[in-house]
Amino acid sequence: MIILTHASKHFEAQVRVLERSIKKYEPDALFLRYEPEGTSDGKNYIQGLPRQRFRDVLFLLESQDENINRYNDIVILIGADCVLFDKVRDWIIFYLELSSSGLNGSYYNNSVLLSPHITRHTDFNDGKSESDYYKTGMINGDFIVFRKSKTSMEMLQWLIDKDTDCNNPCEGKFYEQTYLTMLPFLFKEVKIVRDIDVNVAWYNLNERPLVFINDKFFIGEKNNLKKLKIFHFSGYEIDKPEQLTRYAQLNPENTPYAVQELLEWYALELKK
């Protein structure tokens, strides 16, 4: 399994935290960090980055290099500001639905796993509502799983050919997320994973409450807790450690206890 992220020098600290979390929970995975070809001040969008990310994933899936070929059965595209809090490979295999096909060995029924931003049809009072996703797309571009397959390669080439630099939500265009939302309808072997313990971020905490028990983070209600697998620190700024994100006006004084613990933990990790 390969875990791939793209990050400029402005995200060195975030990449270190991500890499340490991968080594802790998925030590057999190959972690790769690629430098974006464009430039950024650490906050603004990098022109051409979505196309580069998909092109790099396609390159890895097609690679015959023995150092890559040992790992490229699965490639995870992940944001540099994400962190693993648990193992993910077995969970991924489960959703790719590994099955037996007799004399032909084994096969996977799904080629791509996508994770939606929200899974409830309701508006929230956290700075973002379900109507915002009509414009920006429902699928998170910072956690996508690709299996080595013909379908994945066709899908990636389709994405590479699209105008993923366009940011005009009023016209229904928001970078690559517009096209990611279309994938389940245009391609087979695409699985939308609705699990609440992945792709957890500021924009879905109201439907995925964070709980802190015995120095571990969980998601859900007290009688139905799931261990947190992946948190996306989307919009987090190192110089504002008490603020969860810059993308919404959230009052730090109203931050739940578990989120405060998470922010304190991340701030300390970023300094290591």
Side-chain angles (χ1 to χ4, degrees):
M1 182 171 70
I2 297 174
I3 301 178
L4 171 65
T5 195
H6 293 75
S8 66
K9 61 182 181 180
H10 300 283
F11 286 88
E12 289 292 342
Q14 289 91 330
V15 171
R16 289 197 300 269
V17 178
L18 171 61
E19 183 174 13
R20 286 198 299 271
S21 74
I22 292 170
K23 288 182 177 179
K24 179 177 181 179
Y25 294 109
E26 292 296 342
D28 294 330
L30 175 63
F31 175 65
L32 297 176
R33 179 267 185 92
Y34 287 173
E35 187 85 14
E37 296 173 357
T39 58
S40 170
D41 62 1
K43 296 180 181 180
N44 295 332
Y45 174 76
I46 300 175
Q47 194 79 4
L49 181 56
R51 184 174 289 112
Q52 179 190 348
R53 297 173 83 206
F54 296 134
R55 189 172 64 243
D56 290 339
V57 173
L58 181 59
F59 171 80
L60 291 171
L61 290 175
E62 293 180 333
S63 177
Q64 298 301 313
D65 185 298
E66 64 178 27
N67 294 321
I68 298 296
N69 205 250
R70 294 166 51 199
Y71 299 94
N72 68 351
D73 58 327
I74 297 171
V75 177
I76 301 174
L77 187 60
I78 195 168
D81 50 1
C82 293
V83 179
L84 270 61
F85 285 86
D86 200 3
K87 298 177 181 179
V88 294
R89 183 177 174 86
D90 290 345
W91 172 84
I92 287 170
I93 295 296
F94 173 80
Y95 276 109
L96 289 176
E97 297 174 357
L98 180 64
S99 304
S100 173
S101 60
L103 296 177
N104 294 324
S106 60
Y107 68 92
Y108 293 85
N109 291 323
N110 294 310
S111 288
V112 176
L113 303 183
L114 302 174
S115 179
H117 291 108
I118 58 173
T119 56
R120 291 184 186 176
H121 51 86
T122 183
D123 285 332
F124 303 122
N125 297 316
D126 60 356
K128 196 174 182 69
S129 70
E130 66 176 14
S131 60
D132 292 307
Y133 298 105
Y134 303 151
K135 300 176 181 179
T136 61
M138 281 290 294
I139 302 299
N140 177 27
D142 279 326
F143 180 72
I144 311 174
V145 178
F146 295 93
R147 176 178 64 87
K148 188 175 185 177
S149 70
K150 180 180 178 181
T151 299
S152 288
M153 295 175 189
E154 290 176 350
M155 190 181 306
L156 285 161
Q157 189 58 62
W158 183 83
L159 289 166
I160 291 168
D161 292 339
K162 300 305 172 187
D163 180 15
T164 50
D165 281 328
C166 184
N167 178 18
N168 191 342
C170 292
E171 293 184 4
K173 297 179 180 179
F174 189 73
Y175 305 124
E176 76 273 30
Q177 290 184 183
T178 300
Y179 298 102
L180 292 175
T181 302
M182 300 169 66
L183 294 182
F185 306 100
L186 300 181
F187 294 88
K188 296 180 180 180
E189 303 177 21
V190 178
K191 175 72 175 179
I192 297 178
V193 180
R194 298 169 60 89
D195 289 31
I196 63 172
D197 50 349
V198 297
N199 185 27
V200 183
W202 67 268
Y203 44 74
N204 56 29
L205 280 175
N206 274 342
E207 72 166 30
R208 306 178 189 190
L210 187 68
V211 179
F212 185 64
I213 302 175
N214 297 330
D215 295 328
K216 295 182 180 179
F217 294 99
F218 299 84
I219 299 295
E221 306 298 335
K222 289 185 177 180
N223 295 327
N224 187 26
L225 293 176
K226 300 182 70 175
K227 189 176 179 182
L228 174 64
K229 282 188 174 66
I230 302 173
F231 195 92
H232 184 194
F233 290 88
S234 173
Y236 180 90
E237 296 179 296
I238 293 179
D239 58 349
K240 298 178 181 179
E242 75 290 341
Q243 183 175 303
L244 182 57
T245 181
R246 66 175 180 272
Y247 295 134
Q249 298 300 317
L250 307 178
N251 188 347
E253 295 182 358
N254 296 331
T255 302
Y257 166 72
V259 177
Q260 291 179 14
E261 290 291 333
L262 182 68
L263 290 174
E264 290 179 9
W265 174 87
Y266 194 50
L268 289 174
E269 288 293 311
L270 290 168
K271 295 177 181 178
K272 293 182 179 179

Short mmCIF file of all heavy atoms in Angstrom, two decimals, residues 79-129:
data_model
loop_
_atom_site.label_atom_id
_atom_site.label_comp_id
_atom_site.label_asym_id
_atom_site.label_seq_id
_atom_site.Cartn_x
_atom_site.Cartn_y
_atom_site.Cartn_z
N GLY A 79 -4.49 14.26 2.11
CA GLY A 79 -4.04 15.62 2.35
C GLY A 79 -2.93 15.67 3.37
O GLY A 79 -2.89 14.86 4.31
N ALA A 80 -2.02 16.63 3.22
CA ALA A 80 -0.90 16.75 4.14
C ALA A 80 -1.36 17.12 5.55
O ALA A 80 -0.64 16.87 6.53
CB ALA A 80 0.10 17.79 3.63
N ASP A 81 -2.54 17.71 5.66
CA ASP A 81 -3.05 18.11 6.97
C ASP A 81 -3.99 17.07 7.57
O ASP A 81 -4.82 17.39 8.43
CB ASP A 81 -3.74 19.48 6.89
CG ASP A 81 -4.76 19.57 5.77
OD1 ASP A 81 -4.95 18.56 5.05
OD2 ASP A 81 -5.35 20.65 5.59
N CYS A 82 -3.86 15.83 7.13
CA CYS A 82 -4.61 14.72 7.72
C CYS A 82 -3.69 13.94 8.66
O CYS A 82 -2.47 13.99 8.54
CB CYS A 82 -5.13 13.78 6.62
SG CYS A 82 -6.39 14.50 5.55
N VAL A 83 -4.31 13.21 9.60
CA VAL A 83 -3.55 12.40 10.55
C VAL A 83 -4.29 11.08 10.76
O VAL A 83 -5.51 11.07 10.92
CB VAL A 83 -3.40 13.12 11.91
CG1 VAL A 83 -2.64 12.23 12.90
CG2 VAL A 83 -2.69 14.45 11.75
N LEU A 84 -3.54 9.99 10.76
CA LEU A 84 -4.11 8.68 11.10
C LEU A 84 -4.11 8.51 12.61
O LEU A 84 -3.13 8.82 13.28
CB LEU A 84 -3.28 7.56 10.47
CG LEU A 84 -3.66 7.07 9.07
CD1 LEU A 84 -3.53 8.18 8.05
CD2 LEU A 84 -2.81 5.87 8.69
N PHE A 85 -5.24 7.99 13.12
CA PHE A 85 -5.35 7.67 14.53
C PHE A 85 -5.61 6.19 14.76
O PHE A 85 -5.82 5.76 15.90
CB PHE A 85 -6.48 8.50 15.17
CG PHE A 85 -6.12 9.94 15.38
CD1 PHE A 85 -6.30 10.87 14.36
CD2 PHE A 85 -5.58 10.38 16.58
CE1 PHE A 85 -5.96 12.20 14.54
CE2 PHE A 85 -5.23 11.71 16.77
CZ PHE A 85 -5.42 12.62 15.75
N ASP A 86 -5.59 5.42 13.67
CA ASP A 86 -5.82 3.98 13.78
C ASP A 86 -5.37 3.32 12.48
O ASP A 86 -5.08 3.99 11.49
CB ASP A 86 -7.30 3.69 14.04
CG ASP A 86 -7.54 2.31 14.63
OD1 ASP A 86 -6.55 1.59 14.88
OD2 ASP A 86 -8.72 1.94 14.81
N LYS A 87 -5.35 1.99 12.47
CA LYS A 87 -5.03 1.25 11.25
C LYS A 87 -6.12 1.47 10.21
O LYS A 87 -7.30 1.62 10.55
CB LYS A 87 -4.90 -0.24 11.57
CG LYS A 87 -3.79 -0.58 12.55
CD LYS A 87 -3.77 -2.07 12.86
CE LYS A 87 -2.68 -2.40 13.85
NZ LYS A 87 -2.65 -3.86 14.19
N VAL A 88 -5.73 1.42 8.94
CA VAL A 88 -6.72 1.65 7.88
C VAL A 88 -6.71 0.55 6.81
O VAL A 88 -7.69 0.40 6.09
CB VAL A 88 -6.50 3.02 7.19
CG1 VAL A 88 -6.77 4.16 8.16
CG2 VAL A 88 -5.11 3.13 6.58
N ARG A 89 -5.62 -0.21 6.69
CA ARG A 89 -5.55 -1.17 5.58
C ARG A 89 -6.67 -2.22 5.63
O ARG A 89 -7.33 -2.48 4.62
CB ARG A 89 -4.20 -1.88 5.54
CG ARG A 89 -4.10 -2.82 4.34
CD ARG A 89 -2.75 -3.48 4.21
NE ARG A 89 -2.77 -4.46 3.12
CZ ARG A 89 -2.55 -4.17 1.83
NH1 ARG A 89 -2.28 -2.94 1.47
NH2 ARG A 89 -2.60 -5.11 0.92
N ASP A 90 -6.91 -2.83 6.78
CA ASP A 90 -7.96 -3.84 6.87
C ASP A 90 -9.32 -3.23 6.57
O ASP A 90 -10.17 -3.88 5.94
CB ASP A 90 -7.96 -4.47 8.27
CG ASP A 90 -6.75 -5.36 8.50
OD1 ASP A 90 -6.07 -5.71 7.51
OD2 ASP A 90 -6.48 -5.70 9.67
N TRP A 91 -9.53 -2.04 7.02
CA TRP A 91 -10.78 -1.32 6.75
C TRP A 91 -10.95 -1.08 5.26
O TRP A 91 -12.03 -1.26 4.69
CB TRP A 91 -10.76 0.00 7.53
CG TRP A 91 -11.87 0.94 7.23
CD1 TRP A 91 -13.13 0.92 7.76
CD2 TRP A 91 -11.82 2.05 6.33
NE1 TRP A 91 -13.87 1.97 7.25
CE2 TRP A 91 -13.10 2.67 6.37
CE3 TRP A 91 -10.84 2.59 5.50
CZ2 TRP A 91 -13.40 3.79 5.61
CZ3 TRP A 91 -11.14 3.71 4.74
CH2 TRP A 91 -12.41 4.29 4.79
N ILE A 92 -9.86 -0.71 4.59
CA ILE A 92 -9.88 -0.48 3.15
C ILE A 92 -10.17 -1.78 2.40
O ILE A 92 -11.02 -1.82 1.49
CB ILE A 92 -8.55 0.13 2.68
CG1 ILE A 92 -8.45 1.59 3.14
CG2 ILE A 92 -8.40 0.03 1.16
CD1 ILE A 92 -7.09 2.20 2.93
N ILE A 93 -9.49 -2.85 2.77
CA ILE A 93 -9.71 -4.15 2.12
C ILE A 93 -11.16 -4.58 2.27
O ILE A 93 -11.78 -5.11 1.33
CB ILE A 93 -8.77 -5.22 2.72
CG1 ILE A 93 -7.31 -4.89 2.40
CG2 ILE A 93 -9.15 -6.60 2.20
CD1 ILE A 93 -6.98 -4.92 0.93
N PHE A 94 -11.73 -4.34 3.43
CA PHE A 94 -13.13 -4.71 3.67
C PHE A 94 -14.04 -4.01 2.66
O PHE A 94 -14.93 -4.64 2.07
CB PHE A 94 -13.53 -4.34 5.10
CG PHE A 94 -15.00 -4.52 5.38
CD1 PHE A 94 -15.50 -5.79 5.66
CD2 PHE A 94 -15.87 -3.44 5.36
CE1 PHE A 94 -16.86 -5.95 5.91
CE2 PHE A 94 -17.22 -3.60 5.61
CZ PHE A 94 -17.72 -4.87 5.89
N TYR A 95 -13.83 -2.72 2.43
CA TYR A 95 -14.71 -1.99 1.53
C TYR A 95 -14.38 -2.22 0.06
O TYR A 95 -15.21 -2.00 -0.82
CB TYR A 95 -14.70 -0.50 1.86
CG TYR A 95 -15.66 -0.17 2.97
CD1 TYR A 95 -15.21 0.18 4.23
CD2 TYR A 95 -17.03 -0.26 2.76
CE1 TYR A 95 -16.09 0.46 5.26
CE2 TYR A 95 -17.92 0.00 3.78
CZ TYR A 95 -17.45 0.36 5.03
OH TYR A 95 -18.33 0.62 6.03
N LEU A 96 -13.17 -2.65 -0.22
CA LEU A 96 -12.88 -3.06 -1.60
C LEU A 96 -13.46 -4.45 -1.87
O LEU A 96 -13.47 -4.90 -3.01
CB LEU A 96 -11.37 -3.06 -1.85
CG LEU A 96 -10.71 -1.68 -1.91
CD1 LEU A 96 -9.21 -1.83 -2.06
CD2 LEU A 96 -11.27 -0.86 -3.07
N GLU A 97 -13.93 -5.09 -0.80
CA GLU A 97 -14.67 -6.36 -0.90
C GLU A 97 -13.87 -7.45 -1.60
O GLU A 97 -14.21 -7.93 -2.68
CB GLU A 97 -16.02 -6.14 -1.60
CG GLU A 97 -16.93 -5.21 -0.83
CD GLU A 97 -18.21 -4.88 -1.57
OE1 GLU A 97 -18.35 -5.33 -2.73
OE2 GLU A 97 -19.03 -4.18 -1.00
N LEU A 98 -12.81 -7.85 -0.96
CA LEU A 98 -11.98 -8.95 -1.45
C LEU A 98 -12.79 -10.24 -1.44
O LEU A 98 -13.38 -10.60 -0.43
CB LEU A 98 -10.74 -9.10 -0.57
CG LEU A 98 -9.76 -10.20 -0.94
CD1 LEU A 98 -9.16 -9.92 -2.31
CD2 LEU A 98 -8.66 -10.28 0.10
N SER A 99 -12.83 -10.94 -2.59
CA SER A 99 -13.62 -12.16 -2.70
C SER A 99 -12.81 -13.24 -3.41
O SER A 99 -11.84 -12.96 -4.10
CB SER A 99 -14.91 -11.90 -3.49
OG SER A 99 -15.66 -10.86 -2.91
N SER A 100 -13.23 -14.47 -3.26
CA SER A 100 -12.56 -15.58 -3.92
C SER A 100 -13.19 -15.83 -5.28
O SER A 100 -14.41 -15.75 -5.44
CB SER A 100 -12.68 -16.84 -3.06
OG SER A 100 -12.18 -17.95 -3.77
N SER A 101 -12.35 -16.11 -6.27
CA SER A 101 -12.87 -16.42 -7.60
C SER A 101 -12.34 -17.77 -8.08
O SER A 101 -12.07 -17.98 -9.25
CB SER A 101 -12.49 -15.32 -8.59
OG SER A 101 -11.08 -15.20 -8.67
N GLY A 102 -12.17 -18.69 -7.14
CA GLY A 102 -11.80 -20.05 -7.48
C GLY A 102 -10.43 -20.16 -8.11
O GLY A 102 -9.44 -19.68 -7.57
N LEU A 103 -10.35 -20.81 -9.27
CA LEU A 103 -9.08 -21.08 -9.92
C LEU A 103 -8.34 -19.81 -10.33
O LEU A 103 -7.12 -19.82 -10.52
CB LEU A 103 -9.31 -21.96 -11.16
CG LEU A 103 -9.87 -23.36 -10.88
CD1 LEU A 103 -10.10 -24.09 -12.21
CD2 LEU A 103 -8.92 -24.16 -10.00
N ASN A 104 -9.06 -18.73 -10.47
CA ASN A 104 -8.44 -17.47 -10.90
C ASN A 104 -7.87 -16.67 -9.74
O ASN A 104 -7.45 -15.53 -9.90
CB ASN A 104 -9.46 -16.61 -11.65
CG ASN A 104 -9.89 -17.25 -12.96
OD1 ASN A 104 -9.07 -17.88 -13.62
ND2 ASN A 104 -11.15 -17.11 -13.30
N GLY A 105 -7.89 -17.25 -8.56
CA GLY A 105 -7.35 -16.52 -7.42
C GLY A 105 -8.39 -15.63 -6.77
O GLY A 105 -9.55 -16.02 -6.64
N SER A 106 -8.00 -14.43 -6.39
CA SER A 106 -8.93 -13.52 -5.73
C SER A 106 -9.08 -12.23 -6.52
O SER A 106 -8.25 -11.90 -7.35
CB SER A 106 -8.44 -13.21 -4.31
OG SER A 106 -7.18 -12.61 -4.36
N TYR A 107 -10.14 -11.50 -6.26
CA TYR A 107 -10.37 -10.25 -6.96
C TYR A 107 -11.07 -9.27 -6.05
O TYR A 107 -11.65 -9.64 -5.03
CB TYR A 107 -11.22 -10.49 -8.22
CG TYR A 107 -12.64 -10.91 -7.94
CD1 TYR A 107 -13.66 -9.97 -7.83
CD2 TYR A 107 -12.95 -12.26 -7.75
CE1 TYR A 107 -14.95 -10.36 -7.54
CE2 TYR A 107 -14.25 -12.64 -7.47
CZ TYR A 107 -15.24 -11.70 -7.37
OH TYR A 107 -16.52 -12.08 -7.09
N TYR A 108 -11.02 -8.01 -6.41
CA TYR A 108 -11.70 -6.96 -5.66
C TYR A 108 -12.91 -6.49 -6.46
O TYR A 108 -12.84 -6.32 -7.67
CB TYR A 108 -10.76 -5.77 -5.44
CG TYR A 108 -9.59 -6.03 -4.54
CD1 TYR A 108 -8.41 -6.59 -5.02
CD2 TYR A 108 -9.67 -5.70 -3.19
CE1 TYR A 108 -7.33 -6.81 -4.19
CE2 TYR A 108 -8.59 -5.92 -2.35
CZ TYR A 108 -7.42 -6.47 -2.85
OH TYR A 108 -6.36 -6.68 -2.02
N ASN A 109 -14.01 -6.26 -5.78
CA ASN A 109 -15.21 -5.80 -6.45
C ASN A 109 -15.20 -4.30 -6.69
O ASN A 109 -15.84 -3.81 -7.61
CB ASN A 109 -16.45 -6.17 -5.63
CG ASN A 109 -16.69 -7.67 -5.63
OD1 ASN A 109 -16.47 -8.32 -6.64
ND2 ASN A 109 -17.09 -8.21 -4.50
N ASN A 110 -14.52 -3.55 -5.83
CA ASN A 110 -14.47 -2.09 -5.97
C ASN A 110 -13.05 -1.65 -6.27
O ASN A 110 -12.09 -2.26 -5.83
CB ASN A 110 -14.96 -1.41 -4.69
CG ASN A 110 -16.43 -1.67 -4.45
OD1 ASN A 110 -17.26 -1.49 -5.34
ND2 ASN A 110 -16.77 -2.14 -3.26
N SER A 111 -12.95 -0.56 -7.02
CA SER A 111 -11.64 -0.03 -7.39
C SER A 111 -11.32 1.28 -6.70
O SER A 111 -10.15 1.62 -6.53
CB SER A 111 -11.56 0.17 -8.90
OG SER A 111 -11.47 -1.07 -9.58
N VAL A 112 -12.34 2.04 -6.32
CA VAL A 112 -12.12 3.37 -5.74
C VAL A 112 -13.04 3.56 -4.54
O VAL A 112 -14.22 3.20 -4.59
CB VAL A 112 -12.39 4.48 -6.78
CG1 VAL A 112 -12.26 5.86 -6.13
CG2 VAL A 112 -11.42 4.36 -7.95
N LEU A 113 -12.49 4.09 -3.46
CA LEU A 113 -13.28 4.43 -2.29
C LEU A 113 -13.31 5.94 -2.14
O LEU A 113 -12.27 6.60 -2.15
CB LEU A 113 -12.68 3.81 -1.02
CG LEU A 113 -12.49 2.29 -1.00
CD1 LEU A 113 -11.96 1.85 0.37
CD2 LEU A 113 -13.78 1.56 -1.32
N LEU A 114 -14.51 6.49 -1.99
CA LEU A 114 -14.71 7.92 -1.81
C LEU A 114 -15.38 8.18 -0.47
O LEU A 114 -16.20 7.38 -0.01
CB LEU A 114 -15.58 8.50 -2.93
CG LEU A 114 -15.09 8.32 -4.36
CD1 LEU A 114 -16.15 8.83 -5.34
CD2 LEU A 114 -13.77 9.04 -4.58
N SER A 115 -15.05 9.31 0.13
CA SER A 115 -15.62 9.67 1.42
C SER A 115 -16.35 11.01 1.33
O SER A 115 -15.74 12.01 0.96
CB SER A 115 -14.51 9.76 2.48
OG SER A 115 -15.05 10.12 3.73
N PRO A 116 -17.65 11.04 1.64
CA PRO A 116 -18.40 12.31 1.55
C PRO A 116 -18.11 13.23 2.73
O PRO A 116 -17.73 12.78 3.81
CB PRO A 116 -19.86 11.85 1.56
CG PRO A 116 -19.83 10.57 2.34
CD PRO A 116 -18.51 9.92 2.03
N HIS A 117 -18.30 14.51 2.49
CA HIS A 117 -18.11 15.49 3.56
C HIS A 117 -19.15 15.31 4.66
O HIS A 117 -18.83 15.40 5.85
CB HIS A 117 -18.22 16.91 3.00
CG HIS A 117 -17.09 17.29 2.10
ND1 HIS A 117 -17.24 17.43 0.75
CD2 HIS A 117 -15.79 17.57 2.35
CE1 HIS A 117 -16.08 17.78 0.21
NE2 HIS A 117 -15.19 17.86 1.16
N ILE A 118 -20.40 15.11 4.28
CA ILE A 118 -21.47 14.93 5.25
C ILE A 118 -22.34 13.76 4.79
O ILE A 118 -22.34 13.39 3.61
CB ILE A 118 -22.34 16.19 5.42
CG1 ILE A 118 -22.95 16.63 4.07
CG2 ILE A 118 -21.52 17.32 6.04
CD1 ILE A 118 -23.94 17.77 4.20
N THR A 119 -23.10 13.20 5.72
CA THR A 119 -23.97 12.07 5.38
C THR A 119 -25.39 12.27 5.90
O THR A 119 -26.19 11.34 5.87
CB THR A 119 -23.40 10.76 5.96
OG1 THR A 119 -23.23 10.90 7.37
CG2 THR A 119 -22.06 10.42 5.32
N ARG A 120 -25.71 13.46 6.37
CA ARG A 120 -27.06 13.75 6.85
C ARG A 120 -27.69 14.87 6.02
O ARG A 120 -27.01 15.82 5.65
CB ARG A 120 -27.05 14.19 8.32
CG ARG A 120 -26.69 13.09 9.30
CD ARG A 120 -26.81 13.63 10.72
NE ARG A 120 -26.37 12.69 11.72
CZ ARG A 120 -26.30 12.96 13.03
NH1 ARG A 120 -26.66 14.16 13.46
NH2 ARG A 120 -25.88 12.05 13.88
N HIS A 121 -28.96 14.74 5.78
CA HIS A 121 -29.67 15.76 5.01
C HIS A 121 -30.27 16.80 5.96
O HIS A 121 -31.46 16.90 6.17
CB HIS A 121 -30.77 15.13 4.16
CG HIS A 121 -31.69 14.22 4.94
ND1 HIS A 121 -32.79 14.66 5.62
CD2 HIS A 121 -31.63 12.89 5.14
CE1 HIS A 121 -33.40 13.66 6.21
NE2 HIS A 121 -32.70 12.56 5.94
N THR A 122 -29.39 17.60 6.54
CA THR A 122 -29.85 18.64 7.46
C THR A 122 -28.85 19.77 7.47
O THR A 122 -27.68 19.59 7.15
CB THR A 122 -30.01 18.08 8.89
OG1 THR A 122 -30.52 19.10 9.75
CG2 THR A 122 -28.67 17.60 9.43
N ASP A 123 -29.32 20.97 7.79
CA ASP A 123 -28.44 22.12 7.90
C ASP A 123 -27.87 22.20 9.31
O ASP A 123 -28.53 21.86 10.29
CB ASP A 123 -29.20 23.43 7.60
CG ASP A 123 -29.46 23.59 6.12
OD1 ASP A 123 -28.68 23.07 5.33
OD2 ASP A 123 -30.45 24.24 5.77
N PHE A 124 -26.64 22.69 9.40
CA PHE A 124 -25.97 22.81 10.68
C PHE A 124 -25.67 24.28 10.96
O PHE A 124 -25.63 25.11 10.06
CB PHE A 124 -24.66 22.01 10.68
CG PHE A 124 -24.86 20.56 10.37
CD1 PHE A 124 -24.20 19.97 9.30
CD2 PHE A 124 -25.69 19.79 11.14
CE1 PHE A 124 -24.38 18.63 9.02
CE2 PHE A 124 -25.88 18.45 10.86
CZ PHE A 124 -25.22 17.87 9.80
N ASN A 125 -25.40 24.57 12.22
CA ASN A 125 -25.07 25.93 12.62
C ASN A 125 -23.60 26.04 12.96
O ASN A 125 -23.21 26.61 13.97
CB ASN A 125 -25.92 26.34 13.84
CG ASN A 125 -27.40 26.37 13.51
OD1 ASN A 125 -27.79 26.88 12.47
ND2 ASN A 125 -28.21 25.85 14.41
N ASP A 126 -22.74 25.49 12.12
CA ASP A 126 -21.30 25.50 12.39
C ASP A 126 -20.52 26.26 11.34
O ASP A 126 -19.32 26.07 11.18
CB ASP A 126 -20.78 24.07 12.51
CG ASP A 126 -21.01 23.28 11.22
OD1 ASP A 126 -21.63 23.84 10.30
OD2 ASP A 126 -20.54 22.14 11.14
N GLY A 127 -21.18 27.12 10.59
CA GLY A 127 -20.50 27.90 9.58
C GLY A 127 -20.61 27.29 8.20
O GLY A 127 -20.20 27.89 7.22
N LYS A 128 -21.18 26.10 8.07
CA LYS A 128 -21.33 25.47 6.76
C LYS A 128 -22.62 24.65 6.80
O LYS A 128 -22.90 23.95 7.75
CB LYS A 128 -20.14 24.58 6.45
CG LYS A 128 -20.02 24.19 4.98
CD LYS A 128 -18.71 23.44 4.76
CE LYS A 128 -18.50 23.06 3.31
NZ LYS A 128 -18.26 24.19 2.43
N SER A 129 -23.41 24.74 5.75
CA SER A 129 -24.67 24.02 5.69
C SER A 129 -24.65 23.08 4.50
O SER A 129 -23.78 23.14 3.63
CB SER A 129 -25.84 24.99 5.57
OG SER A 129 -25.83 25.61 4.30
#
